[in-house]
Amino acid sequence: MIASTVLLAGGAHAQPSNADLDRQIRTKSDQLEQVVEKYHDIHEDLKTTAAQTGVLQRQIQPLKEQINSRRGAVGRLAAAGYRSSRSMSLSLLLDAGTTRDVVDRLLLMKSYTQHQQREIDELALTSERYATARRTLDALLEQQKNQQTQLGRQRATIESAIADLKKLRVKAYGPTGQLARTEDRAKPPVPRLAGASEKVLKFALAQIGKDYRWAGEGPGGFDCSGLVAATFRTIGIQLPHSSGRQQQRARTITRGQLVPGDLIFFYRDVHHVGIYLGGNKMVHAPQFGEQVRVDPIDSLPINSYGRVVLSTS
């Protein structure tokens, strides 16, 4: 917990200055954003696991039905084969007839045996496929359970950090908990672009002034990767709600190749992302207690630059 007072000589305490509180808020907000992005990573993993679980569950039921069907077929063949073999054995002993009759009856017995063996082999194969699918499903369900537990812990950590931040912001900025910055709501004109790029920037700039909200994808609020995900969804591109995974999806480019609509990733562990506007400016959801706004791209430590392939329509 960050100390909120400074101990002076003689045991007296002085309230920290607004500058001190600002530094504390920035530090704590940055720590919070790291936790939020880790939360998003786990949530993306959970969605993948849930999808895999659904596929396996749909596969298992038909396998169970096949096993039951093949077991019945094997049982019926075994009973028929048993009755036939007894009957044929007696007839072969009592009334052999011609040699051709004996051969025909032996071939029939062999046919029963081969058919039964094929059914037994298919039953064994289907049973093994079912057992493998069942083991995989059980492992995925356990993984999903662990991921949900981890998500719950991460969420509790985030909510606790938000509560601490709110207290710090009230101390620094009064009841609103926000520093008044009229320039934060200034919306620059949308650059003249073609097709999807213009649509991306138009949507992103329209969100200026909306609150930072952890795990937010709009419409009321956004976190950094949530703003990017919501923006690109307007042109039919589904990006993961995670700055690190958005970096993985984007094609790496250099600073000199930046054009409006490209993404800029920040910090060594890539826990922040913004959308490039041109002129070394970006629109982004900065951190808790602030609003979506335009900032210079060099206001944060840049990690890399990326481009999401846009539709030409």
Side-chain angles (χ1 to χ4, degrees):
M1 188 71 178
I2 299 173
S4 59
T5 59
V6 178
L7 183 63
L8 301 178
H13 289 78
Q15 290 296 326
S17 66
N18 278 1
D20 290 333
L21 285 171
D22 277 342
R23 281 192 292 272
Q24 292 178 15
I25 289 168
R26 281 196 298 272
T27 298
K28 211 163 181 61
S29 294
D30 187 57
Q31 293 169 350
L32 171 61
E33 192 169 31
Q34 293 177 54
V35 175
V36 168
E37 287 303 304
K38 288 177 182 175
Y39 176 95
H40 292 330
D41 282 340
I42 296 171
H43 194 260
E44 290 295 324
D45 287 340
L46 183 56
K47 287 196 290 187
T48 300
T49 303
Q52 293 171 337
T53 301
V55 170
L56 279 169
Q57 285 174 329
R58 289 191 293 273
Q59 290 175 346
I60 277 179
Q61 186 56 37
L63 286 173
K64 286 179 69 175
E65 292 171 359
Q66 288 178 38
I67 288 172
N68 291 335
S69 174
R70 293 192 185 284
R71 279 178 178 161
V74 168
R76 288 191 295 274
L77 278 171
Y82 175 73
R83 289 192 300 270
S84 175
S85 63
R86 288 189 65 191
S87 171
M88 289 180 184
S89 297
L90 289 172
S91 64
L92 284 171
L93 289 173
L94 300 177
D95 183 18
T98 67
T99 303
R100 184 63 192 173
D101 291 338
V102 173
V103 171
D104 287 344
R105 290 169 185 175
L106 287 173
L107 288 174
L108 182 58
M109 291 175 66
K110 183 179 178 182
S111 174
Y112 268 117
T113 303
Q114 289 176 335
H115 191 186
Q116 184 178 5
Q117 186 59 49
R118 283 196 299 272
E119 286 293 337
I120 290 172
D121 290 343
E122 288 295 330
L123 174 59
L125 181 61
T126 304
S127 297
E128 180 56 32
R129 288 174 58 201
Y130 173 81
T132 300
R134 184 74 252 179
R135 286 193 298 270
T136 304
L137 178 58
D138 289 344
L140 282 174
L141 289 172
E142 183 63 24
Q143 179 182 339
Q144 192 173 37
K145 180 181 176 182
N146 292 337
Q147 287 173 330
Q148 287 172 329
T149 300
Q150 195 172 354
L151 270 180
R153 290 172 182 161
Q154 291 276 28
R155 186 180 185 115
T157 300
I158 293 170
E159 289 173 346
S160 175
I162 287 174
D164 290 343
L165 271 178
K166 284 180 177 178
K167 293 174 185 176
L168 285 175
R169 285 187 169 275
V170 168
K171 286 183 181 179
Y173 309 128
T176 64
Q178 295 180 359
L179 177 65
R181 286 179 39 155
T182 55
E183 67 271 22
D184 287 352
R185 292 181 177 271
K187 298 182 181 180
V190 179
R192 289 186 175 274
L193 301 167
S197 295
E198 184 173 357
K199 191 172 183 180
V200 161
L201 293 186
K202 185 176 181 180
F203 177 87
L205 291 172
Q207 311 316 308
I208 289 175
K210 293 187 177 180
D211 288 336
Y212 178 97
R213 181 177 298 166
W214 84 267
E217 285 190 20
F222 303 86
D223 60 16
C224 67
S225 54
L227 175 63
V228 171
T231 297
F232 280 87
R233 196 160 51 242
T234 63
I235 58 169
I237 294 178
Q238 301 294 326
L239 293 178
H241 189 155
S242 159
S243 54
R245 299 194 184 197
Q246 288 169 359
Q247 183 197 44
Q248 293 170 10
R249 284 282 301 276
R251 178 162 58 87
T252 301
I253 58 174
T254 65
R255 182 165 181 147
Q257 294 173 313
L258 278 173
V259 297
D262 286 336
L263 300 180
I264 306 172
F265 302 97
F266 299 93
Y267 299 102
R268 181 177 298 178
D269 61 353
V270 192
H271 66 261
H272 193 75
V273 60
I275 302 170
Y276 188 61
L277 297 176
N280 291 323
K281 300 276 189 175
M282 66 174 171
V283 59
H284 67 142
Q287 54 187 216
F288 175 79
E290 298 178 347
Q291 289 87 32
V292 176
R293 66 171 186 248
V294 173
D295 276 324
I297 64 174
D298 292 305
S299 60
L300 298 172
I302 295 172
N303 176 288
S304 59
Y305 311 92
R307 177 169 300 159
V308 178
V309 178
L310 303 180
S311 156
T312 56
S313 60

